[in-house]
Amino acid sequence: MAKTKCRVVVRSEYCKGCNLCIAYCKKGVLAPSEGLNKAGYHYATPDDEKECTGCRVCVLVCPEVAIEVYGE
Amino acid sequence: MAKTKCRVVVRSEYCKGCNLCIAYCKKGVLAPSEGLNKAGYHYATPDDEKECTGCRVCVLVCPEVAIEVYGE
Amino acid sequence: MNKVFMSGNHAFAEAAIRAGCRSYFGYPITPQNELGEYMAEHLPKSGGVFVQSESETAAINMVIGAAAAGARVMTSSSSPGISLKQEGISFLAGFQLPAVIVNVMRGGPGLGNIAPAQGDYFQATRGGGHGDYRTPVFAPGSVQEVADLTRVAFDVADRYRTPVMILGDGMLGQMKEPVEFPDMLVDLPEKEWALRGRGEGASRYMASLILDVMEMERHNWELVRKYQAITKNETLYEGYMLDDAKIVAIAYGTTARIARAAIKRVRKEGVPAGLLRPITLWPFPKEPLQELARRIEDFVVFEMSTGQMVEDVLLSLEGRGRVAFHGRPGGVVPTPVEFSRILYREYQRQVKSEK
Amino acid sequence: MNKVFMSGNHAFAEAAIRAGCRSYFGYPITPQNELGEYMAEHLPKSGGVFVQSESETAAINMVIGAAAAGARVMTSSSSPGISLKQEGISFLAGFQLPAVIVNVMRGGPGLGNIAPAQGDYFQATRGGGHGDYRTPVFAPGSVQEVADLTRVAFDVADRYRTPVMILGDGMLGQMKEPVEFPDMLVDLPEKEWALRGRGEGASRYMASLILDVMEMERHNWELVRKYQAITKNETLYEGYMLDDAKIVAIAYGTTARIARAAIKRVRKEGVPAGLLRPITLWPFPKEPLQELARRIEDFVVFEMSTGQMVEDVLLSLEGRGRVAFHGRPGGVVPTPVEFSRILYREYQRQVKSEK
Amino acid sequence: MLVKILFAGSGGQGVLTMGNILGNAAMIEDFHTTYLPAYGAAVRGGTANCTICISDEEIASPVASVPDFVVALNHPSAASFSTRLEPGGQMLYNSDLVGELISRGDITMFPVPANDIAKGIGSERSANMVMLGAFIKLTNVLKVDSIYKSVEYMLGAKKKLVEITNRAVEEGYNGFPFGNGSL
Amino acid sequence: MLVKILFAGSGGQGVLTMGNILGNAAMIEDFHTTYLPAYGAAVRGGTANCTICISDEEIASPVASVPDFVVALNHPSAASFSTRLEPGGQMLYNSDLVGELISRGDITMFPVPANDIAKGIGSERSANMVMLGAFIKLTNVLKVDSIYKSVEYMLGAKKKLVEITNRAVEEGYNGFPFGNGSL
Amino acid sequence: MKLLNKWPSYYKKDVVTHYCPGCGHGIVHRIVAELLEEMDLGKRAVCVNPAGCAVLAYKYFDIDMIESAHGRGTAIATGVKRVKPELFVFTYQGDGDLSAIGTAETIHSANRGEHITVIFINNAVYGMTGGQMAPTTLLGQRTTTTLGGRNPKFDGYPLHITDMIAPLPGVIYAERTAINGPAGIQRTKKAIQAAFQVQVDGLGYSIVEVLSACPTNWKMTPEESFKWITEVMAKEYVPGVLTDKRGGPA
Amino acid sequence: MKLLNKWPSYYKKDVVTHYCPGCGHGIVHRIVAELLEEMDLGKRAVCVNPAGCAVLAYKYFDIDMIESAHGRGTAIATGVKRVKPELFVFTYQGDGDLSAIGTAETIHSANRGEHITVIFINNAVYGMTGGQMAPTTLLGQRTTTTLGGRNPKFDGYPLHITDMIAPLPGVIYAERTAINGPAGIQRTKKAIQAAFQVQVDGLGYSIVEVLSACPTNWKMTPEESFKWITEVMAKEYVPGVLTDKRGGPA
Ligand SMILES: Cc1ncc(C[n+]2csc(CCOP(=O)(O)OP(=O)(O)O)c2C)c(N)n1
Ligand SMILES: Cc1ncc(C[n+]2csc(CCOP(=O)(O)OP(=O)(O)O)c2C)c(N)n1
Ligand code: SF4
Ligand code: SF4
Ligand code: SF4
Ligand code: SF4
Ligand code: SF4
Ligand code: SF4
Ligand SMILES: [Mg+2]
Ligand SMILES: [Mg+2]
């Protein structure tokens, strides 16, 4: 299945730490940041070790258009 | 049937000559007046020769509460 | 002969159409129903839009939409209905959108009656809506002037991007007089600022919400500058027999007609009366009045109200002169004889005090 | 200690309840949401009625119903919502029904913003609704005064059977200050005229429709007489450091607080400034101002608007004195330093011109 | 010169049409003129009336609290408006529909059998125009020709209607007076 | 005397509660006092702040465009409001949540490890009250006793809560200063 | 011989109404007055009359009354009833009043289940202002603002507002009847009686929509009007009980 | 690697919204922006934004926009569309805006069958003003004006306004969806696409009601909010197509 490995990027300053992407990513790629962004939120951060399938569910649920998914 | 003869009285100054009572009296008791009342209407007038049954349909349809029906 | 014998209400509508107005949104109310009815008959024929809205509130908001899209647009109502439009008029002012609103006044407050009155002067000139704004207010005194001022109202609305009100009364709306209309305006210029879809250009938005207070303040002062320009350029009034006048009546619309007749009468009895008739109620012809106050001591304000324009007269005179007020509210139409008596009385007072 | 630390919005509500108001109808709008929320929490507890209406228009009409049935009743809103109530307020005036309407003003026109402003002065004092009527307008300057004047407002409303407006702004509504409330009013007298079913007596009706113009005119003049009585008996104002003043600031509500601080400041620099603070905006304290004008030449009007009350000042002064205006519209809250500068500048001008 | 005329009758009798035609005719003769329908009654039906002013100067108020002439098409309006006339004023009334009236010493009343005459020319609905014709003859306030023109202008394309209408005006005009005017 | 204090932090940190307690305490000491929450943002969440003025005279404006003190509970508010202080002004900040700040030469900044201390007394949610205690110690604007009374009055029946809250105030008060204030 | 039809005691005698000949308002007025007496409600009744042809209803009903701004009847009724629940409160409204400008008030008073009764006179036209289109005007019907007949493309469709609110849980009873002859009049009286009883029993909101003639603006005789109601109007607005939750939720 | 999720070109980039974390408005905004691009409508679109949390939507959408007075969106849209029928006109409204103060405008624009599209964000609360009861608030739901939970006795019932207008002949398409997870979001996009297409095809009025989270005023996390939508809100307001007259009258 996961032939191509994809990569997810969070525009951290736009993220409000709602955690929806984290909740809905089946692959557990995303997690809350330790630190805060300028607005004071624990933004979502991808764990590049985890397998991102490029399904873009995270993009679908993100209210802030803060996620970019890269793939082939 | 028509044991008791009833009598209908039109308060002519309140009548606006809409003719509804005339139209709905099955016994044809009522008819438009020749002359006009003060407001300028041909008011309804009973023909006492005709048999009024006291059914009060005329009262029911009169928008002006202009009709009185007398009986036993 | 180009004259037609027409009611004020119809003349409002016909003049609007000739001014290029192709959209009307309104809700029936006496004594101005014929205005909307004329629009219902004539607008669709000329490819225009007539919508009988579900309320006056809806109507004024449809007006906002049509104006935002660049149309010349009109709504009309009478006193209670105009009250319901106040929020929308404030929005038009905030958005800086042009529109013409006709108020054919009737007796008030509340449901009042459907007779002619001038009790909405404050509402019209002080902005019955919220916030710092003003609306130019035109007050025609004849059906002919209805035709003429309606054209002017559309032009002023577009030139300054502002809602404009025309203030008539039940008498003016209902009565017929001979009237000659200006030609049909064609090829109105496109409004650059109007919404029409961004197309290939930048997107536009219209908002009256300005959360930043400094920006909002700038916006408020920008509006003030606009109002100053309107005051400078668009103030209209008419003088009658003022040259040798020693007592001046001030009246607008229907009362001005009656005052004029009264002046003719009292002149015959040797009373040197004249008339200043404000044609714009806001901006009020303050300077002409001040000018008069240089040489005239006595002023009489006639209104079909308990006294509203009289405040503008007092504001204009700044303490000069003596101002008498005679008002007939509630739908009573005063007579020339009645006004004559007042003018005569006030003049006698003057003569006596001069002795 | 009977003081509590409370916001203006809550104080409006609490004071209303203590004035015997057991019914509130309103629609949310910032910056006065806490008023309705307080009512929602406290009224039902005391057997009262809280209804969040579907709109401000509905709210003011529910107020009409409750007032007609004899209840002490309140509604509140902020600028755009107050515009929507104008038709209803005109009806209240026509019906001669008592009710208290709170306007916690914000920036305008249109949606404006939710910052404090004083741009609805004209609307409040001139009647934003149609027809010849006036509403008494109270302008509290502190949370304590919110509590005190709310009580007065209910009393005036009942005494004269008139809608009464209390005009605050977003600052007054939102801020907390120590406040002491008057005791709870109990056993309010029955209102003889209220609708309660005819019972065994004659039926009553309330109508603002008066088709007969002569009767309508009588009604209008009857209202005028009432307004004259209110003017005579209910005008409120406060003077501050007026005795030796050579320049007088005129300001109400929030701006009056700031003006007072500015006066303290400039006094230290030798500027003999004082303050006249209208507490009722209508009736406006015309006589006290005229009184001052006998000995004082210079007046400065401060408003959080582009200039509305300044007209009442001019009307009161009738040409006497020199009136400067300094306004900050759009939600900007001016500072004491800013006002001081103006007072200082105007006083220098005076000194120079005297030389 | 300022003449104020009040036309009154019941809703369907064409009172407003008469007024309109007269006002329009006055305009044709370049007079100042106003027409004001009565809209005091909230609900239609019942009576209708309108006031026409004709003058060689501007007209102040289109209202006639005290008209110079009343033209009454039915009994209730004759009864009520006769009381409003100026002393010395004149009233024409449709004698076919107006019964006995209480007399006022100081006005003159002229009966016009308008329905009869209209029936005579085959158009009972034109009784109002008969009255108008009679009114013109009585008052001479306008030329009868102007009425004809006005009718033509206002009814326009409807040739037949114009013809019969003007015929009615003519009958009223030529036949007047129809009887004893003093009451 | 007129002191203007700005409390700022994120929505859930109890910034408005602090302000209320302080204002109420000032009232207990019979000072004039005002409290003004920031309601500029149309939508909740994110940051919250309020201004308290305390004075022995009437207070003109409850607004503090330039406060005398800032008490910042989190990083964004420390960063943004430090710029608003009067020259010579003082800022307390929750050093557990505030990272590195750009320094301003003309103000003094005092770190308070409020979360840590609050955790220490078993109630991390009381970090705000630790800050309040420290603030009172720093400024002496009111007696710390008045704060205790104010807490009691405002939290009323909830004995446990009153106790822990006042404990937090005490810790902040007694422990201050916690470190080097100059930045 | 004695008088068989007693004069309704809550109807003012010796007053000539301002209604046109054959107008439905007069008939409904009489029914309401009779019910106020028969149900012994007149003494504690407050009627809110509309802006519309019935604006002068207070001249006819001999009970406590209050006029409303156009469309706001149910808001006023809400105010009265909430502060004086012991009163019997009903509105009397036209179709323009209730279903155009008063739409929001109508729907929300119904949705709140206010304990009021609404008598809704649907004559498919704005009577008082001279015959403009109403929301209830039929397709193709000529009015002064739909000269070529109501055209759905521009003017929308006949609005069935009573049907819209009938399903609301707070609406306990809703019925549509027609004043189109003796039977319709009798049915109307029964319907209003049922609606009144809902309020008396403290159940909630009730409404009766009455199809009613406006001969003047329809340009018909009263008789023709009755016929038009039966043959045309009642086809669009079918009479019947629209909801009856007196026994509990539907 | 290339970017798989293209930025919707009618959505302004590099702007931080003012919405709270997890707010449904942001999600719906993105969907709408995507559709404006996919359906090639952005260039001729005019959006009417509400008074409500979406009052600043003009800062996010990169198309022509106009703000409305609270509740008047569809009246403004009517004005725009009637005078410029070539434009693509839609409103974006909250539940307070559309179903409280805007009730009359909602119902009558629908009944006139205006050729506009309405996006109706139902979050069962007044978001912008801080969480008061909305007409759509559920029974028992706590808000700042229903502290003990909405009580039908005083506060009325949850109003199903979309269901009320769906049967109107002018309403060509009405659907209710829920932003409660990826599937709901996708369904919402399809629904809005269908509604937009109705206007493109010149058929009439279309509306999509979107159940949408207000975590702030619900006092829940965004995740809990999604769950609450599914488990509570969608039980009262059942998602689905409420009317579909694209093939002709229902
Ligand atoms: C705010 C306002 N708008 C308009 C009017 C004018 N108006 C009075 S009644 C009415 C409509 C009457 O129609 P309807 O409600 O159907 O009652 P009907 O006369 O047909 O019985 C209108 C538009 C008004 N009085 N107030
Ligand atoms: C006339 C008027 N009344 C009230 C308001 C205040 N107001 C703004 S938005 C709003 C309600 C917002 O709720 P909703 O429409 O559900 O939108 P949401 O914020 O929940 O998305 C209110 C009451 C206003 N701006 N104008
Ligand atoms: S694209 Fe899919 S797999 Fe990758 S992070 Fe997003 S949700 Fe997870
Ligand atoms: S969904 Fe978006 S806003 Fe929410 S946490 Fe993920 S990236 Fe951040
Ligand atoms: S009571 Fe019956 S029979 Fe007698 S007149 Fe009336 S309808 Fe005719
Ligand atoms: S029904 Fe009444 S008003 Fe009509 S004609 Fe008969 S008596 Fe007269
Ligand atoms: S206009 Fe119509 S509704 Fe009004 S009174 Fe006349 S017939 Fe009745
Ligand atoms: S208050 Fe609610 S609706 Fe408004 S932005 Fe926040 S979460 Fe969204
Ligand atoms: Mg009707
Ligand atoms: Mg909402």
Side-chain angles (χ1 to χ4, degrees), chain C residues 23 49 51 54 57-58 61-62 65-66 68-69 87 91 95 195-200 203-209, chain H residues 10 42-43 45-46 55-56 58 62-67 69 72 75-76 79-80 82-84 87 104-105 108 112:
Chain C
S23 51
V49 173
V51 178
E54 59 272 30
T57 311
N61 283 283
M62 293 175 186
E87 188 203 25
F91 270 78
F95 284 138
L195 301 181
R196 71 180 80 84
R198 57 174 288 186
E200 305 298 331
S203 61
R204 271 161 300 217
Y205 65 82
M206 289 188 190
S208 68
L209 180 85
Chain H
Y10 293 111
K43 287 180 193 146
V46 170
V55 70
L56 293 174
Y58 61 83
D62 205 2
I63 58 172
D64 275 12
M65 299 200 57
I66 178 167
E67 156 199 303
R72 316 304 174 192
I76 293 184
V80 174
R82 288 279 185 136
V83 305
K84 289 249 172 88
L87 295 180
E105 287 77 5
H108 287 277
R112 284 191 307 268

Side-chain angles (χ1 to χ4, degrees), chain H residues 17-237:
Chain H
T17 73
H18 69 296
Y19 296 117
C20 309
C23 172
H25 280 302
I27 299 174
V28 181
H29 278 22
R30 196 198 59 237
I31 293 175
V32 169
E34 286 169 2
L35 286 169
L36 289 172
E37 187 171 3
E38 291 164 16
M39 299 176 75
D40 196 18
L41 295 170
K43 287 180 193 146
R44 61 185 181 96
V46 170
C47 170
V48 183
N49 66 269
C53 279
V55 70
L56 293 174
Y58 61 83
K59 296 207 167 170
Y60 315 133
F61 287 114
D62 205 2
I63 58 172
D64 275 12
M65 299 200 57
I66 178 167
E67 156 199 303
S68 59
H70 190 37
R72 316 304 174 192
T74 53
I76 293 184
T78 298
V80 174
K81 185 75 181 183
R82 288 279 185 136
V83 305
K84 289 249 172 88
E86 66 276 17
L87 295 180
F88 177 81
V89 182
F90 68 104
T91 70
Y92 184 103
Q93 304 179 258
D95 42 359
D97 191 85
L98 181 142
S99 73
I101 193 168
T103 305
E105 287 77 5
T106 299
I107 287 179
H108 287 277
S109 59
N111 191 52
R112 284 191 307 268
E114 295 295 340
H115 288 210
I116 59 175
T117 305
V118 174
I119 298 171
F120 167 24
I121 306 298
N122 180 357
N123 58 13
V125 81
Y126 286 19
M128 163 157 258
T129 45
Q132 296 82 6
M133 179 186 77
T136 53
T137 293
L138 304 193
L139 291 185
Q141 188 183 337
R142 279 169 212 272
T143 70
T144 61
T145 48
T146 56
L147 295 165
R150 183 178 192 165
N151 179 346
K153 212 177 141 195
F154 302 110
D155 311 317
Y157 296 84
L159 189 71
H160 293 234
I161 193 154
T162 316
D163 299 84
M164 286 178 90
I165 63 170
L168 298 175
V171 177
I172 304 304
Y173 191 81
E175 180 168 353
R176 185 185 292 118
T177 66
I179 296 285
N180 56 351
I185 295 170
Q186 256 154 346
R187 179 68 234 170
T188 301
K189 185 167 173 183
K190 283 223 183 72
I192 296 177
Q193 179 171 27
F196 277 4
Q197 193 61 41
V198 164
Q199 184 179 162
V200 170
D201 294 343
L203 300 177
Y205 182 98
S206 52
I207 180 169
V208 178
E209 173 179 340
V210 182
L211 308 184
S212 169
C214 176
T216 299
N217 287 303
W218 295 357
K219 303 190 191 316
M220 297 178 192
T221 66
E223 247 192 285
E224 286 163 1
S225 301
F226 275 27
K227 212 170 142 204
W228 192 75
I229 292 178
T230 309
E231 292 176 2
V232 181
M233 210 177 162
K235 295 288 187 307
E236 175 76 32
Y237 301 104

Side-chain angles (χ1 to χ4, degrees), chain D residues 23 49 51 54 57-58 61-62 65-66 68-69 87 91 95 195-200 203-209, chain G residues 10 42-43 45-46 55-56 58 62-67 69 72 75-76 79-80 82-84 87 104-105 108 112:
Chain D
S23 51
V49 173
V51 178
E54 58 273 29
T57 312
N61 283 283
M62 292 175 186
E87 189 203 24
F91 270 78
F95 283 138
L195 300 181
R196 72 180 82 83
R198 57 173 289 185
E200 303 301 330
S203 61
R204 273 162 299 218
Y205 64 81
M206 288 188 190
S208 68
L209 179 86
Chain G
Y10 294 110
K43 287 180 192 146
V46 170
V55 69
L56 294 174
Y58 61 82
D62 205 2
I63 57 171
D64 274 12
M65 299 200 58
I66 177 167
E67 156 200 304
R72 316 305 174 190
I76 293 183
V80 174
R82 288 278 184 135
V83 305
K84 289 246 173 88
L87 296 180
E105 286 78 5
H108 287 276
R112 283 192 307 270

Side-chain angles (χ1 to χ4, degrees), chain C residues 94-116:
Chain C
F95 284 138
Q96 305 209 55
L97 284 176
V100 174
I101 301 134
V102 175
N103 181 2
V104 180
M105 289 183 281
R106 57 191 239 179
L111 220 41
N113 57 33
I114 53 177

Side-chain angles (χ1 to χ4, degrees), chain A residues 6-9 21-22 24-30 46 50-61 67-70, chain H residues 4:
Chain A
C6 295
R7 209 161 61 79
V8 61
V9 175
C21 56
I22 296 167
Y24 285 97
C25 172
K26 292 233 174 78
K27 298 292 177 182
V29 174
L30 294 152
K50 299 269 174 72
E51 180 196 30
C52 169
T53 63
C55 71
R56 280 165 287 168
V57 161
C58 53
V59 170
L60 196 63
V61 298
I67 302 181
E68 293 175 343
V69 178
Y70 292 88
Chain H
L4 297 182

Side-chain angles (χ1 to χ4, degrees), chain D residues 116-156:
Chain D
Q118 299 184 320
D120 304 350
Y121 181 95
F122 275 146
Q123 187 192 52
T125 59
R126 297 299 188 282
H130 58 285
D132 274 302
Y133 75 94
R134 296 277 188 148
T135 38
V137 181
F138 292 91
S142 65
V143 176
Q144 182 61 55
E145 216 177 27
V146 165
D148 299 337
L149 289 179
T150 299
R151 169 70 58 98
V152 176
F154 275 102
D155 289 345
V156 166

Side-chain angles (χ1 to χ4, degrees), chain D residues 76-217:
Chain D
S76 68
S77 188
S78 177
S79 309
I82 296 290
S83 289
L84 290 173
K85 294 184 197 284
Q86 292 305 327
E87 189 203 24
I89 296 174
S90 175
F91 270 78
L92 281 165
F95 283 138
Q96 305 209 54
L97 283 177
V100 174
I101 301 134
V102 175
N103 181 1
V104 180
M105 289 183 281
R106 57 191 239 179
L111 220 40
N113 57 31
I114 54 176
Q118 299 184 320
D120 304 350
Y121 181 95
F122 275 146
Q123 187 192 52
T125 59
R126 297 299 188 282
H130 58 285
D132 274 302
Y133 75 94
R134 296 277 188 148
T135 38
V137 181
F138 292 91
S142 65
V143 176
Q144 182 61 55
E145 216 177 27
V146 165
D148 299 337
L149 289 179
T150 299
R151 169 70 58 98
V152 176
F154 275 102
D155 289 345
V156 166
D158 274 357
R159 190 148 60 243
Y160 298 93
R161 292 184 57 185
T162 179
V164 169
M165 184 165 280
I166 314 183
L167 203 59
D169 62 48
M171 176 106 88
L172 192 67
Q174 295 291 325
M175 84 177 179
K176 291 193 180 187
E177 288 188 309
V179 52
E180 207 174 331
F181 286 96
D183 285 345
M184 184 74 77
L185 267 188
V186 283
D187 294 332
L188 285 162
E190 269 271 344
K191 295 174 182 173
E192 270 319 304
W193 47 262
L195 300 181
R196 72 180 82 83
R198 57 173 289 185
E200 303 301 330
S203 61
R204 273 162 299 218
Y205 64 81
M206 288 188 190
S208 68
L209 179 86
I210 307 179
L211 285 177
D212 181 275
V213 294
M214 298 309 292
E215 207 184 309
M216 185 73 202
E217 183 178 38

